[in-house]
């Protein structure tokens, strides 16, 4: 069941979304050579504490997970696509980091992700990240009243495939509101004009997840959470929480 949010509720979700935006900015600023992923998680926790917000990630346990998620931040490095568990790994020059973060404030949730390079960039990584951002922008542009879920999926998939990248199999965006994952699912590839109609008050987490090697498959790391590319290629993740309104898409996690 899809809950349509009131304009007041969307404003409240914007406040939660700005906590997310602040945390991702702080994480990106702190991410330097020699900094551990656990230290980045602590940076994100500090933003939550300062805002009086909670974490929808901490303790979350979907059906596929062997244990509850132990952190407030997903930190996926290089060949890790999503769901990376922060640990003692210290960032190295040239690492590609995908940081995914959520916040709960006043009973509403925001969710966003950004990929970036630590230190010296590789041209291929820059192109991969730029494509993920373009795919996200295309998905947001399609998130208008009168379109359908398939229009968002098609917009994202077209950008990704044209660049020769893979799309993480079986994972995509989702509705969001009182809970982090709500209906409807938002695939990252699909046919235009298909699926649920988009209506004023729907709020979606739109999140392309690109695989640099061109394949769509993944393998699950021993931690039971981190999804890695099967060929060792690098991956990028971009995400925003977006409200569909009569005036056009409103990005609630804008940085």
């Amino acid at each position: 069941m899809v809950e349509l949010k009131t304009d007041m509720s969307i404003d409240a979700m914007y406040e939660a979304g700005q906590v997310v935006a602040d945390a991702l900015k702080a994480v990106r600023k702190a991410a330097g050579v020699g900094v551990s992923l656990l230290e980045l998680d602590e940076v994100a926790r500090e933003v939550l504490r300062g805002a009086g917000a909670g974490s929808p990630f901490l303790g979350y346990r979907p059906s596929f997970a062997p244990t509850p998620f132990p952190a407030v931040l997903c930190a996926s490095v290089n060949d890790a696509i999503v769901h990376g568990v922060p640990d003692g790994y210290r960032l190295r020059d040239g690492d590609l980091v995908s940081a995914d973060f959520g916040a709960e404030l006043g009973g509403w949730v925001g969710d966003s992700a950004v990929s970036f390079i630590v230190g010296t960039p590789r041209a291929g990584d820059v192109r991969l990240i730029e494509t993920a951002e373009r795919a996200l922008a295309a998905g947001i542009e399609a998130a208008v009243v009168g379109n359908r879920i398939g229009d968002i999926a098609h917009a994202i998939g077209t950008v990704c495939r044209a660049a020769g990248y893979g799309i993480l199999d079986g994972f995509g965006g989702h509705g969001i509101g009182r809970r982090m994952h709500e209906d409807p699912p938002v695939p990252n590839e699909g046919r235009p004009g298909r699926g649920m109609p988009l209506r004023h008050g729907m709020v979606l987490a739109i999140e392309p997840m690109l695989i640099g090697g061109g394949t769509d498959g993944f393998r699950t790391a021993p931690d039971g959470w981190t999804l890695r590319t099967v060929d060792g290629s690098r991956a990028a993740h971009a995400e925003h929480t977006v409200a569909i309104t009569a005036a056009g898409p409103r990005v609630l996690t804008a940085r």
Side-chain angles (χ1 to χ4, degrees):
M1 178 178 177
V2 176
E3 177 193 1
L4 298 179
K5 279 70 175 179
T6 66
D7 292 346
M8 186 176 297
S9 296
I10 291 173
D11 287 341
M13 290 191 70
Y14 176 81
E15 296 303 319
Q18 289 310 291
V19 177
V20 177
D22 289 345
L24 287 177
K25 286 187 289 187
V27 165
R28 185 168 186 171
K29 182 177 180 180
V33 174
V35 175
S36 76
L37 301 184
L38 282 173
E39 288 169 336
L40 294 184
D41 185 68
E42 181 55 35
V43 168
R45 288 174 188 256
E46 183 60 32
V47 173
L48 286 177
R49 286 191 287 265
S55 171
F57 287 19
L58 184 63
Y60 181 61
R61 188 178 183 182
S63 59
F64 67 81
T67 58
F69 195 74
V72 303
L73 176 76
C74 290
S76 306
V77 181
N78 296 334
D79 67 325
I81 312 163
V82 289
H83 304 162
V85 178
D87 57 17
Y89 176 83
R90 294 192 176 276
L91 295 171
R92 302 170 183 174
D93 185 56
D95 277 348
L96 193 165
V97 180
S98 294
D100 188 1
F101 182 77
E104 182 178 1
L105 185 68
W108 296 101
V109 178
D111 186 12
S112 184
V114 63
S115 293
F116 56 86
I117 299 163
V118 176
T120 308
R122 302 180 183 179
D125 291 344
V126 171
R127 179 175 178 266
L128 178 62
I129 292 171
E130 288 178 345
T131 304
E133 293 290 344
R134 284 196 296 109
L136 174 59
I140 293 171
E141 186 177 1
V144 296
V145 174
N147 272 359
R148 292 177 177 266
I149 291 291
D151 293 305
I152 297 175
H154 179 71
I156 292 170
T158 297
V159 172
C160 297
R161 297 302 189 190
Y165 296 127
I167 299 171
L168 179 60
D169 188 30
F171 289 83
H174 48 89
I176 186 171
R178 293 285 185 183
R179 293 174 291 111
M180 181 166 58
H181 291 120
E182 297 183 352
D183 289 332
V186 185
N188 285 325
E189 191 168 32
R191 298 177 63 181
R194 300 296 182 94
M196 181 178 292
L198 303 180
R199 299 170 59 190
H200 178 91
M202 292 175 69
V203 183
L204 308 174
I206 300 173
E207 51 176 325
M209 292 164 272
L210 278 62
I211 298 173
T215 62
D216 297 350
F218 64 89
R219 61 182 179 87
T220 304
D223 61 26
W225 274 99
T226 308
L227 304 185
R228 296 187 178 275
T229 62
V230 293
D231 59 1
S233 62
R234 296 193 172 197
H237 182 196
E239 177 185 18
H240 273 309
T241 296
V242 181
I244 296 167
T245 78
R250 180 182 179 189
V251 180
L252 306 181
T253 48
R255 294 181 290 275

